[in-house]
Amino acid sequence: MMNNPLPIREFIVPGKRAHLVGIGGVSMCPLAEVLKGMGLEVQGSDMNESETVAHLRALGIPVSIGHNADNLGDCDLVIRTAAVHDGNPEIAGAVARGIPVYERAQAWGAIMQRYPNALCVSGTHGKTTTTSMCTHIFMAAEADPTVMIGGTLPLLHSGYRVGQGDTIILESCEYCNSFLSFFPTVAVILNVEADHLDFFKDLQDIERSFHKFADLVPSRGSVIVNADNPGAMESVAGLKHPIFTFGLENPADCTAANLTEEDGRPVFDIMIHGKFYAHVKLHVYGRHNVLDALAAASAAYALDLPGKAVEDGLASFAGAGRRFEHKGTFRGAEVYDDYAHHPDEIHALLTTARGLGYKRLVVAFQPHTYTRTVAFFDRFVEELKLADVAILAEIFAAREQNTMGISSADLCRNIPGAVYCSTLDKVTEALRKTVQPGDLVLTVGAGDIYRASEKLLETEA
């Protein structure tokens, strides 16, 4: 945040020209479309050509490839992603010319102020799935929402949509306190755990951030919290705003009754304040997805949607991209991919997978960031022992430098029988040698580990 004496809402008006640095990103592309729909002139830059870039150009949005100060032209403001640093030539060029520079989260915050309902889904994990479930429910209700998800949803064929209804649904991330730039009327807190310790000091610091997020909700809005998660409940302790809870283990305003399984998938009644609201048959596995469904139903209830929309919406939900996503079959083994990168997520994923009746569970895991690997080293070791075969790719650096001297090989030495692979090609080769008919193969991580399963399946084709 620099060079911005005025709030960004002063610039989010028809006729202003916005330049988006990293416009091809998962949350920048929909931002570009929304801004254009609001009457702004939109342009941008990205490092590479892509389908997203082609899509934006087809909408009449100019996109330059490569970052150069000349790309700014006569823009009135610059919006950047968190991945774009101050040394970027376009950011430096904007500062030199006195063009205000804003963060992506600030732009989304200004936009959501124009919607009567801003449904913001937060939490250490489960955000993408729950936001996707909410999208299915609101689409089933024909509410025509605007949506921003941090992953691909098959229903939308992308991670976003621009609607004409009165509701905007956003996945809301705590990293760098991004969600504190939002203006939620409904704030969902799924869970609060220690994570992103390269930014936050400790769990208490994270809980304070979530408390501030919940405190953004106006008196007419709703704060929806997981009663089963201690961190989530601690984050709203002392909050002046009343809270609405959901849960399975502790008393809650929204809970599941008559919980059973059909073909391994949860079936249950959603009860709100002790009264029947909806009967749900999920097409995704696991207790964690029941909690996500309760969170989505609670948000729907808060915004006066009928239980029928919850039933229909969740009945059509078969998972978001990279969330236990079926990739194909290799030599009689089923291959799935999942974004899990926190020990809690890995525990939920692997315990669910182990209950599905496959011969063996073969897991190729790629840790995400050095700081997270160090912070949860022992937890990663314990959770990965749930696999029958563990193959570890080298750590995905993301935004970090390896100043800690940590490697996936260190994890591997503590997991009996685990295999360390220094490259993704070696991961694919290890899978090819290991996989047997009847196995469940999982590639796991928030980086590019999914490429290993894709290459594996290419050899089967």
Side-chain angles (χ1 to χ4, degrees):
M1 290 178 277
M2 56 178 70
N3 241 29
N4 45 2
L6 295 175
I8 191 173
R9 64 175 179 271
E10 301 289 332
F11 293 92
I12 307 296
V13 293
K16 292 289 187 182
R17 179 173 292 275
H19 180 86
L20 277 60
V21 186
I23 197 169
V26 67
S27 65
M28 291 291 272
C29 177
L31 176 60
E33 283 200 48
V34 172
L35 292 175
K36 183 176 176 63
M38 294 171 63
L40 281 77
E41 299 294 327
V42 180
Q43 62 183 47
S45 63
D46 208 77
M47 286 303 296
N48 301 294
E49 297 281 359
S50 66
E51 291 182 9
T52 303
V53 167
H55 169 72
L56 290 169
R57 286 176 177 152
L59 296 176
I61 297 174
V63 180
S64 302
I65 299 302
H67 296 312
N68 189 304
D70 292 340
N71 294 337
L72 299 174
D74 58 352
C75 70
D76 297 296
L77 74 156
V78 171
I79 301 172
R80 68 177 180 181
T81 69
V84 175
H85 301 295
D86 294 351
N88 180 282
E90 294 179 10
I91 303 302
V95 172
R97 290 173 52 188
I99 302 170
V101 178
Y102 297 94
E103 304 291 338
R104 170 191 60 197
Q106 291 177 290
W108 279 115
I111 289 167
M112 70 178 63
Q113 286 181 281
R114 298 170 180 262
Y115 288 82
N117 305 319
L119 168 52
C120 297
V121 179
S122 73
T124 307
H125 35 261
K127 293 185 293 293
T128 297
T129 295
T130 306
T131 308
S132 298
M133 287 178 169
C134 288
T135 300
H136 270 256
I137 291 168
F138 278 77
M139 293 289 283
E142 300 183 351
D144 196 15
T146 292
V147 178
M148 175 61 234
I149 305 172
T152 300
L153 181 61
L155 174 70
L156 307 181
H157 304 291
S158 72
Y160 68 93
R161 78 182 299 271
V162 180
Q164 302 300 317
D166 62 3
T167 300
I168 183 169
I169 304 170
L170 292 103
E171 182 172 331
S172 306
C173 183
E174 75 276 13
Y175 184 60
C176 295
N177 288 324
S178 291
F179 62 2
L180 299 187
S181 294
F182 289 178
F183 294 86
T185 63
V186 176
V188 177
I189 301 178
L190 299 170
N191 37 64
V192 179
E193 311 285 354
D195 197 13
H196 298 304
L197 297 177
D198 57 324
F199 176 76
F200 294 109
K201 296 177 183 178
D202 50 30
L203 178 58
Q204 289 69 38
D205 191 26
I206 299 170
E207 289 170 352
R208 284 191 292 270
S209 182
F210 275 89
H211 185 95
K212 292 176 182 177
F213 170 67
D215 206 26
L216 295 172
V217 175
S219 58
R220 67 177 178 85
S222 300
V223 178
I224 297 168
V225 187
N226 183 357
D228 294 344
N229 184 260
M233 293 302 291
E234 184 63 30
S235 72
V236 295
L239 192 72
K240 295 179 182 178
H241 196 294
I243 65 169
F244 182 100
T245 57
F246 65 93
L248 290 172
E249 298 173 2
N250 295 302
D253 298 305
C254 175
T255 189
N258 306 315
L259 178 57
T260 59
E261 290 185 355
E262 290 184 7
D263 298 323
R265 298 176 178 90
V267 178
F268 54 97
D269 293 327
I270 295 177
M271 310 296 290
I272 295 183
H273 300 311
K275 296 182 179 179
F276 175 83
Y277 179 53
H279 179 70
V280 172
K281 293 184 178 182
L282 293 182
H283 293 281
V284 288
Y285 299 95
R287 184 182 180 86
H288 58 293
N289 279 314
V290 176
L291 280 168
D292 290 344
L294 292 177
S298 297
Y301 177 82
L303 290 171
D304 298 322
L305 265 60
K308 182 67 162 56
V310 174
E311 293 176 352
D312 293 346
L314 293 179
S316 66
F317 177 71
R322 300 217 60 210
R323 272 68 181 179
F324 203 66
E325 179 182 2
H326 186 245
K327 305 291 287 187
T329 303
F330 177 78
R331 295 178 185 169
E334 296 304 318
V335 181
Y336 285 78
D337 177 67
D338 197 277
Y339 191 75
H341 54 286
H342 184 279
D344 289 349
E345 297 169 339
I346 293 168
H347 179 81
L349 173 67
L350 300 192
T351 51
T352 297
R354 288 201 68 84
L356 297 180
Y358 287 89
K359 176 182 172 184
R360 297 187 307 168
L361 177 59
V362 178
V363 175
F365 175 60
Q366 180 189 54
H368 189 264
T369 74
Y370 305 110
T371 52
R372 184 179 286 113
T373 306
V374 169
F376 300 114
F377 188 93
D378 292 341
R379 287 284 315 279
F380 281 128
V381 168
E382 289 307 307
E383 300 305 344
L384 290 168
K385 288 179 180 177
L386 290 170
D388 294 298
V389 179
I391 297 169
L392 274 73
E394 190 49 272
I395 298 166
F396 189 85
R399 53 192 171 267
E400 297 182 346
Q401 298 294 320
N402 191 6
T403 59
M404 305 172 186
I406 188 72
S407 167
S408 291
D410 299 316
L411 288 170
C412 206
R413 281 190 286 271
N414 290 274
I415 303 169
V419 177
Y420 166 71
C421 298
S422 58
T423 67
L424 288 183
D425 283 342
K426 291 181 178 179
V427 172
T428 302
E429 185 59 30
L431 286 171
R432 189 178 293 115
K433 292 178 178 178
T434 301
V435 172
Q436 300 173 5
D439 286 350
L440 171 59
V441 180
L442 270 171
T443 52
V444 182
D448 57 0
I449 187 68
Y450 64 91
R451 297 184 186 279
S453 59
E454 291 177 350
K455 289 181 180 180
L456 180 73
L457 292 167
E458 286 174 4
T459 65
E460 182 80 343

